[in-house]
Amino acid sequence: MSRYFVDRISRRLALCFGTVAFLILIFIAVFILKGSLPALGEIGVADILFSTEWYPSHGAFGIFTMFAGSVVVTILALAIAVPLAVGCAIFLAEVAPCRIGNMARPAIELLVGIPSVVYGLVGMIVLCPAIAHLSGTGSGSSVLAAAIVLAIMVLPTITSISEDSLRAVPTLYKEGALALGATHWQAVYHVLLPAARRGIVAAVVLGTGRAIGETMAMVMVIGNSPILPTSIFAPARTLTGNIASEIGAATGMHESTLFVTGLVLFVLIMAINSVGLLLNRRKK
Amino acid sequence: MYLKINRKKVSVFMTGCVLLAVLALGGCSQGASGTIAIGGSSTVQPLAEKWGKAFEAKNPDVKITVQGGGSSAGVKGCAEGIFDIGAASREMKSSEADQWPELVAIHVAVDGVAIVINPASNSVTGMTLEEVRDIFASGSNATWTVINREEGSGTREVFEEKVMSDTKVAPNAEFLPSNGAVKQKVAATANAIGYISLGYVDSSVKALSIGGVACNEVNCAEGSYPVTRYLNFITKGAPDGLSKEFIDFCLGSEGQKIVGEEDYISIA
């Protein structure tokens, strides 16, 4: 009898925990929405979302520059990280001898554990001066510096999930391809990669989410100028950086627009995750 | 059964300990004790830390913590009870006084805002206020990399009021979160120009003279240097208890001597 009792209790408990997780999500959504309402009502959705002028002390609250900043930096970072990460995953899953793979894998996974402020610091001290030298003007705090730092930060996430999905492809597929006379590379490119596509897409979506949400390292290397990212050598500002650097001092309408910034981030992340789910579902 | 007895014993023992601790604490309550949380302006931070250390040395039972975050964060944090004393490198704004009428600001020192440039790459030693304003208004370009402070910085408020008048700093300037960050950036970047508290100026950056008046303690004290301000401690209501003791110490001869040692200007 007690066996069934435990079973029933644990099922209820699991239900409770599941509900709590869901409630937390609802709570956060309501909290952000409530904080945003004063600004959305008084300034107007369009004037916040599409204005490029951010000057809170003079009553200008446009966050379009930061939206553009976040999107551009993330796209650039993925453009750098995805080829590297997928290449790395192919190497680990297919090419690397066991011993090298066993050394490289923990090293790559260790990259996830490095606090983002450390990435920011390295970017600030090493990368920014190098970029300043390269571009010949400015301090090096730039879209490019942010994209490179971000690429390194999402690299391990994309690599390890891609590697897992490459390894999850049944050996039969590869053996079949090889038996038909395909070379190793042909088997990887034409059989393994398409078969692992879903996992790789999931990896990229996860990486995108992490990239959009990254804050500290971005604040440290991007310069935080609220201008449109028109050049990779010019500074810009991200949505996350806008909240982080101003919330401590913000009151009233200014504080409320920072909540709107959070709302935009929230919607953006949800959109990315939905796209990921959709892509996942279609190719079944 | 065995477990139960043990637990009881432990809990009796713990209760005894707690009681003893409470008695002990109560017994030695003469002399100042407790904690003071100070936070806000990064300009006031080094000074507040030195004051805190000196005060702790005289009152071993007192613990003083000092955080940065910017002047506006200091005012807001004090109003919301996060800090016992908020630090601001500017006067309270009328909007803040309206929102939190209970806040009281006390002048604790005077400071100058130095316009600083990279010393290695630039031979300029002085400018007029108008020249500084024009550079900050036109923003970063081939000649200058302009470094601004984040929204909520007291130093920025003072700079905007006394240097920029009604002109805005161009948005393509970099925005950095503290005096220390600006100093580091200006020191590391050729052609950079920024502004920091006089207390932060050292040989890694060059402080410009403004209209022929050098930026130093003497000129700030007598007011011939144009960009100076009071540093403030903000409390909720008139300071009392430990906070009052601490602020009195800062304003006293010992506290004001520390002001001079840290390259700020003591209040007359």
Side-chain angles (χ1 to χ4, degrees), chain B residues 128-227:
Chain B
T128 63
L129 268 189
E130 289 71 31
E131 283 171 323
V132 176
R133 183 185 309 149
D134 287 346
I135 289 171
F136 276 83
S138 43
S140 298
N141 51 35
T143 342
W144 293 106
T145 298
V146 178
I147 316 287
N148 199 359
R149 284 289 303 280
E150 87 288 3
E151 194 79 28
S153 150
T155 307
R156 172 169 159 178
E157 301 267 350
V158 172
F159 179 82
E160 286 189 335
E161 182 196 325
K162 305 216 164 164
V163 179
M164 299 308 288
S165 303
D166 274 335
T167 324
K168 289 180 193 169
V169 176
N172 76 353
E174 273 183 50
F175 289 71
L176 295 181
S178 66
N179 279 293
V182 173
K183 185 174 97 177
Q184 191 267 342
K185 203 69 175 179
V186 170
T189 307
N191 299 328
I193 184 167
Y195 53 89
I196 58 177
S197 154
L198 180 59
Y200 276 82
V201 173
D202 63 18
S203 59
S204 69
V205 292
K206 180 161 64 180
L208 296 176
S209 66
I210 299 296
V213 182
C215 179
N216 58 35
E217 284 95 327
V218 178
N219 291 340
C220 287
E222 64 184 26
S224 54
Y225 183 79
V227 201

Side-chain angles (χ1 to χ4, degrees), chain B residues 32-39 44-67 85 87 108 233 242-243 245-251 254-259 261-262 264:
Chain B
S33 66
T35 61
I36 308 176
I38 305 175
V44 185
Q45 198 176 359
L47 189 54
E49 276 165 3
K50 280 277 152 52
W51 274 333
K53 279 220 182 81
F55 192 73
E56 280 175 354
K58 293 184 72 179
N59 304 278
D61 289 333
V62 176
K63 185 92 194 91
I64 296 177
T65 61
V66 182
Q67 292 177 41
I85 300 175
V108 289
F233 272 167
L242 193 55
S243 294
E245 244 174 271
F246 176 67
I247 293 175
D248 286 345
F249 167 80
C250 299
L251 294 174
E254 220 173 318
Q256 290 298 308
K257 205 179 128 221
I258 295 175
V259 173
E261 287 164 8
E262 289 298 297
Y264 297 84

Side-chain angles (χ1 to χ4, degrees), chain A residues 10-33:
Chain A
S10 53
R11 221 187 295 171
R12 293 269 159 81
L13 265 177
L15 178 71
C16 276
F17 293 149
T19 321
V20 166
F22 184 70
L23 282 180
I24 290 174
L25 181 72
I26 299 285
F27 172 76
I28 291 176
V30 169
F31 174 73
I32 297 177
L33 200 63

Side-chain angles (χ1 to χ4, degrees), chain A residues 102-246:
Chain A
N102 287 342
M103 284 196 315
R105 207 168 294 117
I108 290 170
E109 275 158 15
L110 206 63
L111 284 176
V112 186
I114 298 175
S116 69
V117 66
V118 175
Y119 283 106
L121 195 64
V122 174
M124 214 167 119
I125 305 297
V126 180
L127 201 56
C128 286
I131 289 174
H133 188 72
L134 194 71
S135 70
T137 169
S139 74
S141 297
S142 57
V143 172
L144 182 62
I148 293 175
V149 168
L150 211 49
I152 298 170
M153 293 180 75
V154 299
L155 187 72
T157 311
I158 305 183
T159 303
S160 53
I161 300 178
S162 299
E163 193 206 342
D164 285 346
S165 54
L166 280 173
R167 284 187 185 280
V169 175
T171 348
L172 274 176
Y173 286 25
K174 189 180 150 195
E175 284 167 356
L178 293 178
L180 289 172
T183 63
H184 191 180
W185 170 246
Q186 282 171 331
V188 168
Y189 188 75
H190 292 287
V191 178
L192 282 186
L193 275 182
R197 220 192 78 166
R198 271 178 58 191
I200 294 173
V201 168
V204 173
V205 169
L206 217 70
T208 313
R210 169 141 204 228
I212 290 263
E214 176 48 44
T215 311
M216 197 58 218
M218 294 299 96
V219 171
M220 292 170 81
V221 300
I222 203 169
N224 301 314
S225 314
I227 51 172
L228 286 172
T230 44
S231 152
I232 56 170
F233 293 118
R237 183 182 290 205
T238 62
L239 291 166
T240 49
N242 192 42
I243 303 177
S245 54
E246 300 195 353

